Amino acid sequence: MIERAKALQTQLEQIKNKLHGMPELSFLEHKTTEFLKREISRMGLEIIDIGMETGVVALLRGARPGKTVALRTDIDAIERPGENGSAAPQDRGAIHGCGHDFHMTCLLGAAALLTERKHELFGNVAFLFQPAEEITRGAQAMIDHGLFEKLPPVDSLFGLHNRPEIQAGKVGVKPGALMAGKSNFEIVLHGVAGHGGMPHKCVDVIVAAAAIINAVQTVVSRNTDPLEPIVCAICSIHAGTPKNLITDTLTMTGSLRSLSTATHQMAQRRLDEIVRQTAAAYGCTAELTMIPEVPVLENGEEMTALARRAAAKALGEENIVVPEPCLASEDFAVFGQRVPAFFYWLGSGVPGKENAPWHSGRFATDDRALHLGALLLAESALVALEKK
């Protein structure tokens, strides 16, 4: 199958270039969805309608009965930043700055490779083209729309993400925690408004917020084991307009990320205590709302063993690396709570070059690795479907 994957490389590059030219934001991936449906229909795959406006689910039924393995990709793009790094309302375009165009192409390539071997398959392969990964909502939306009820029972699931820090030709296979669990939060402070020249008659929420921003850093520096990765970040602050007015309301937003559920729970408790008690010390009241997003993305031992076998077949044992985890998050983890799952990092960095990270304006993938991604996913399905 290696030679067949290599033969697909030119075609895969063409597909990737087309997808790269039609970036669409989360849950708005209409053109992308139609393109994917056309490509899937050409292969003769069965499209499973789960009632979502964007995203595609397709099924390849093998010639003989057996298990069902699913392969997943994300399909959305990121918001194009303005010149100052912000996403201004007048500049709400999209750009494939995280490589989801690369991922879609790999999955289409895997579908092509597996379709050619349909007569050999003991079981089925489902192809999940998931919307809205960038806002970590798409996986749950597919589940809520009955994904697992409308497919044959899914026994295992594989997915991949490009990794610029790993050079093309290599693949990251890591057991355990790979990407962070994430909760967002919102803090609303209430004080007393008044004239900027009469601060003694006001309760200034901006001063209280400054103290909270500094105090929150101790969740990481003083409440967490230094060897345990965690991020507790205030990411936005909104308050006030006129220059001579002390405002009475302030809103902050942020995120909490960690690789341990226990650490995450501890950090949430401390965040609540710090926000309420610091606000009170400055005469304010505070409301903290935690917004759970995704759990930790963890690769179990049995799935890691299958993934390592598939990776060795596709890229060679010598090209398997064990990467360090990172505190970015992935809603593939939501699927992993329903079925045994494994997530690869496929090398997409150009060897000998400093490769820009995900979401950078300079982000790019080494597309010479496209056929390797297709082969990796196809081999994962074949290994998982092997008759014991």
Side-chain angles (χ1 to χ4, degrees):
M1 197 158 61
I2 293 175
E3 292 306 315
R4 180 63 188 128
K6 289 179 180 177
L8 286 176
Q9 176 64 26
T10 300
Q11 181 183 347
L12 294 177
E13 289 177 6
Q14 292 169 349
I15 290 172
K16 194 263 186 177
N17 289 337
K18 289 178 182 177
L19 288 166
H20 189 75
M22 59 174 78
E24 296 172 294
L25 299 178
S26 300
F27 288 129
L28 298 174
E29 312 96 334
H30 299 287
K31 292 180 182 177
T32 304
T33 295
E34 290 307 310
F35 177 87
L36 293 170
K37 285 181 176 178
R38 287 195 301 271
E39 292 297 315
I40 289 165
S41 296
R42 285 196 191 103
M43 298 181 204
L45 298 178
E46 177 183 350
I47 293 179
I48 307 296
D49 183 7
I50 65 169
M52 292 183 66
E53 290 187 10
T54 61
V56 185
V57 178
L59 184 65
L60 172 63
R61 297 185 187 272
R64 289 167 280 190
K67 298 177 181 178
T68 296
V69 60
L71 305 175
R72 173 269 196 182
T73 182
D74 36 23
I75 71 171
D76 54 335
I78 64 172
E79 198 166 60
R80 184 187 297 275
E83 289 184 4
N84 63 353
S86 65
Q90 68 271 20
D91 192 32
R92 288 189 181 278
I95 184 172
H96 270 303
C98 198
H100 296 188
D101 49 351
F102 183 98
H103 307 159
M104 286 184 275
T105 305
C106 290
L107 188 52
L108 287 171
L113 292 171
L114 291 167
T115 299
E116 293 175 357
R117 301 185 65 167
K118 177 180 179 178
H119 61 286
E120 302 175 24
L121 294 183
F122 284 93
N124 313 305
V125 184
F127 303 91
L128 313 183
F129 294 85
Q130 179 211 306
E133 186 281 326
E134 290 295 349
I135 60 171
T136 57
R137 292 283 191 276
Q140 189 61 54
M142 294 184 88
I143 292 171
D144 291 344
H145 278 77
L147 171 68
F148 290 116
E149 289 72 39
K150 294 175 182 177
L151 287 172
V154 175
D155 296 282
S156 58
L157 171 69
F158 294 88
L160 63 76
H161 201 294
N162 75 87
R163 187 69 167 150
E165 292 83 357
I166 300 174
Q167 74 176 46
K170 297 189 179 296
V171 59
V173 177
K174 182 190 179 302
L178 181 69
M179 301 183 75
K182 178 180 72 168
S183 297
N184 290 336
F185 58 82
E186 180 183 78
I187 301 166
V188 180
L189 301 181
H190 300 282
V192 177
H195 195 287
M198 304 175 190
H200 58 295
K201 295 186 177 182
C202 310
V203 177
D204 194 339
V205 290
I206 292 178
V207 174
I212 289 171
I213 291 169
N214 283 327
V216 159
Q217 309 311 309
T218 63
V219 173
V220 176
S221 67
R222 289 297 178 266
N223 300 136
T224 306
D225 183 334
L227 300 179
E228 186 71 52
I230 183 172
V231 169
C232 185
I234 304 293
C235 299
S236 75
I237 179 168
H238 306 275
T241 44
K243 294 180 181 178
N244 64 344
L245 173 69
I246 291 177
T247 187
D248 61 356
T249 306
L250 179 147
T251 301
M252 293 185 282
T253 64
S255 66
L256 184 64
R257 300 170 185 264
S258 68
L259 296 174
S260 160
T261 301
T263 297
H264 207 90
Q265 292 171 344
M266 176 279 297
Q268 287 187 174
R269 290 194 301 271
R270 285 297 296 138
L271 181 63
D272 181 66
E273 293 167 355
I274 287 169
V275 167
R276 287 187 295 101
Q277 294 174 14
T278 305
Y282 284 81
C284 297
T285 59
E287 301 161 7
L288 171 66
T289 303
M290 297 300 305
I291 307 160
E293 291 286 334
V294 292
V296 178
L297 195 163
E298 296 193 70
N299 292 324
E301 288 185 14
E302 290 186 14
M303 288 298 294
T304 300
L306 289 177
R308 191 171 187 93
R309 283 172 54 202
K313 286 187 172 186
L315 283 83
E317 187 74 35
E318 69 280 8
N319 289 313
I320 298 175
V321 299
V322 181
E324 293 295 322
C326 81
L327 291 178
S329 300
E330 237 287 353
D331 70 348
F332 182 88
V334 176
F335 290 133
Q337 293 192 312
R338 293 288 299 264
V339 298
F342 186 88
F343 201 66
Y344 297 100
W345 277 345
L346 181 65
S348 63
V350 178
K353 175 185 174 183
E354 183 179 348
N355 294 278
W358 302 322
H359 293 213
S360 164
R362 298 179 294 106
F363 171 84
T365 53
D366 186 342
D367 289 346
R368 292 174 295 181
L370 285 168
H371 74 282
L372 296 176
L375 183 59
L376 178 64
L377 289 172
E379 288 287 9
S380 297
L382 293 175
V383 166
L385 292 177
E386 281 179 0
K387 203 157 181 68
K388 296 292 191 282

